[in-house]
Amino acid sequence: MHRTYSMRQSRMPTASQIENPPPPLSTTKTNRWIGKGGFGHAFRKNAAGAFGPDLARKLSQLVKMEKNVMRSMEMVAKERMETAQQLSIWGENCDEDVSDITDKIGVLLYEIGELEDLYVDRYDQYRVTIKSIRNIEASVQPSRDRKQKITDEIAKLKYKDPNSPRIVVLEQELVRAEAESLVAEAQLSNITREKLKAAFQYQFDALREHCEKVAIIAGYGKHLLDLVDDTPVTPGETRASYDGYDASKAIIQDCEEALANWVTSKAAVKSDVSQRTRTLSQRRREAIGKNRDGVDLSTQDQPMRGDRDSWVPADQHPTYVEDGEEVASTLDGEARGREEDREPVSVSV
């Protein structure tokens, strides 16, 4: 393979790698003691959902399923590179134009395989971040269990021995357990939101870069196909000699340059949203900003005026209107009510 020109001869970092350095190797590429086939996939998925704290089981299963996805993608990347090599090997014994073009297409397909292998490493950043949420969930579960256990003991004692002095001790322990659980739940809520946004930021950034670069390769691959003369020939007719070696090599060089210079800011696909979506998103961001800044209570209760004349005794309060009916204040400071609701007072002489 790569008989005339290889895109991978140059190992200089690309512009996107300089802007966003590549992550370390994926954890799925090492420690494969369970296996990488269907049995290993099913075992990891089922085992994750059957063990561990109740709070973290669902996310544990998601983490293991994502590991299966990564290993499947790694397998696809490896097999794509092998098929690219086989395509080039097959084209060696064909006509000059087919031999040259299949070799160059093999170069492009091999590059896609390497991009997929790099995408697995970036995808692992997402999975590891989601895994950190699972760890926090697992750490919160003991505080929930302790609070529930104390609550059950108190209920049992109140049923069997309502006067037991241990009830007071357990209630004090319950107060402390509730305080600890409250702190843990707040920490879980904060970390879940922070890590969730970070995790899918990793995934969407990696997916965007991968898809854009694959689209670039596909475009240059179609340019290579234009060099193939598919004009039908009659039996005994000789096809014109092929003179597209320089052109095919230039296409590969242009593709390499496009991939090397790609950065996120130059992405061709833009996710434009409608005016209604922008308005709703802006309202949501403003609401989040208000919650982050807190609520201003400085003007909630207006202070009294400084002069003492502003104070009025209770027996001098004027009448006021309640639900559309006039209500008078009593002289003795008793509770006020509507005229028809007040009972007549009998005075004995």
Side-chain angles (χ1 to χ4, degrees):
M1 187 188 174
H2 304 171
R3 298 186 303 274
T4 57
Y5 184 81
S6 172
M7 183 180 295
R8 305 307 300 173
Q9 286 178 352
S10 175
R11 291 292 178 174
M12 296 295 292
T14 62
S16 61
Q17 289 175 339
I18 295 175
E19 183 181 66
N20 185 20
L25 288 178
S26 166
T27 55
T28 60
K29 296 178 180 178
T30 57
N31 301 326
R32 295 190 174 186
W33 59 275
I34 296 180
K36 53 185 178 181
F39 172 76
H41 284 205
F43 179 82
R44 280 186 293 269
K45 175 182 174 182
N46 297 330
F51 304 101
D54 294 338
L55 182 61
R57 284 185 182 180
K58 293 181 179 179
L59 199 54
S60 295
Q61 195 164 8
L62 173 63
V63 169
K64 293 302 181 183
M65 293 171 68
E66 291 289 11
K67 196 167 191 176
N68 293 342
V69 171
M70 290 171 56
R71 290 192 168 171
S72 299
M73 291 190 296
E74 185 182 346
M75 181 70 68
V76 170
K78 180 180 179 181
E79 293 185 351
R80 190 182 298 277
M81 288 186 279
E82 291 177 353
T83 56
Q85 292 175 337
Q86 189 64 30
L87 175 65
S88 181
I89 293 172
W90 166 76
E92 288 185 26
N93 298 325
C94 296
D95 295 338
E96 290 183 348
D97 55 348
V98 175
S99 178
D100 181 55
I101 297 305
T102 54
D103 180 58
K104 298 303 190 300
I105 291 178
V107 172
L108 297 183
L109 295 180
Y110 195 91
E111 179 68 16
I112 292 177
E114 293 203 341
L115 288 177
E116 289 173 339
D117 191 65
L118 177 61
Y119 175 62
V120 172
D121 295 337
R122 294 194 181 278
Y123 197 91
D124 193 46
Q125 290 183 294
Y126 147 76
R127 193 188 71 88
V128 170
T129 308
I130 288 291
K131 191 175 179 180
S132 64
I133 302 178
R134 182 206 65 183
N135 297 338
I136 295 296
E137 287 184 346
S139 66
V140 171
Q141 186 67 49
S143 64
R144 287 187 177 184
D145 295 341
R146 180 169 178 265
K147 185 177 68 173
Q148 186 61 43
K149 181 179 179 181
I150 296 174
T151 303
D152 294 342
E153 289 182 4
I154 293 175
K156 188 183 298 183
L157 278 177
K158 285 184 177 180
Y159 177 76
K160 291 184 176 181
D161 186 8
N163 299 324
S164 174
R166 180 166 170 73
I167 295 178
V168 178
V169 178
L170 289 175
E171 287 178 344
Q172 294 175 351
E173 292 183 5
L174 180 61
V175 171
R176 290 192 294 268
E178 287 178 343
E180 294 175 0
S181 178
L182 192 64
V183 173
E185 296 288 349
Q187 184 184 17
L188 174 62
S189 177
N190 296 335
I191 292 180
T192 298
R193 284 157 176 78
E194 175 189 351
K195 297 296 185 180
L196 179 69
K197 294 180 69 173
F200 281 96
Q201 192 76 24
Y202 284 134
Q203 181 177 152
F204 291 143
D205 286 345
L207 187 62
R208 185 179 189 182
E209 178 179 352
H210 177 70
C211 292
E212 289 261 353
K213 289 185 174 181
V214 170
I216 291 174
I217 293 174
Y220 283 101
K222 295 187 70 173
H223 286 304
L224 284 173
L225 294 178
D226 292 337
L227 301 179
V228 178
D229 182 11
D230 58 348
T231 305
V233 296
T234 59
E237 182 181 358
T238 303
R239 192 179 296 275
S241 61
Y242 176 69
D243 58 354
Y245 291 105
D246 293 336
S248 63
K249 181 176 179 180
I251 290 174
I252 295 295
Q253 290 173 332
D254 291 343
C255 183
E256 180 184 23
E257 184 178 354
L259 293 175
N261 294 330
W262 186 93
V263 290
T264 304
S265 58
K266 295 181 180 180
V269 179
K270 303 296 182 182
S271 303
D272 296 328
V273 296
S274 63
Q275 181 61 41
R276 175 177 177 273
T277 303
R278 285 195 292 269
T279 302
L280 295 175
S281 299
Q282 180 64 28
R283 289 178 184 175
R284 175 59 182 164
R285 287 193 293 268
E286 291 175 355
I288 293 175
K290 289 181 181 179
N291 293 335
R292 185 177 296 132
D293 297 337
V295 181
D296 185 11
L297 301 178
S298 59
T299 59
Q300 181 176 0
D301 297 323
Q302 297 294 337
M304 295 182 62
R305 291 177 296 180
D307 55 327
R308 296 183 58 84
D309 296 336
S310 62
W311 180 80
V312 179
D315 57 354
Q316 298 180 16
H317 286 178
T319 60
Y320 65 95
V321 176
E322 181 180 299
D323 296 338
E325 300 183 19
E326 186 175 281
V327 181
S329 41
T330 59
L331 297 179
D332 55 356
E334 296 292 338
R336 296 186 291 262
R338 296 183 178 87
E339 292 291 343
E340 62 271 16
D341 295 337
R342 294 199 300 269
E343 299 179 356
V345 179
S346 59
V347 181
S348 59
V349 180

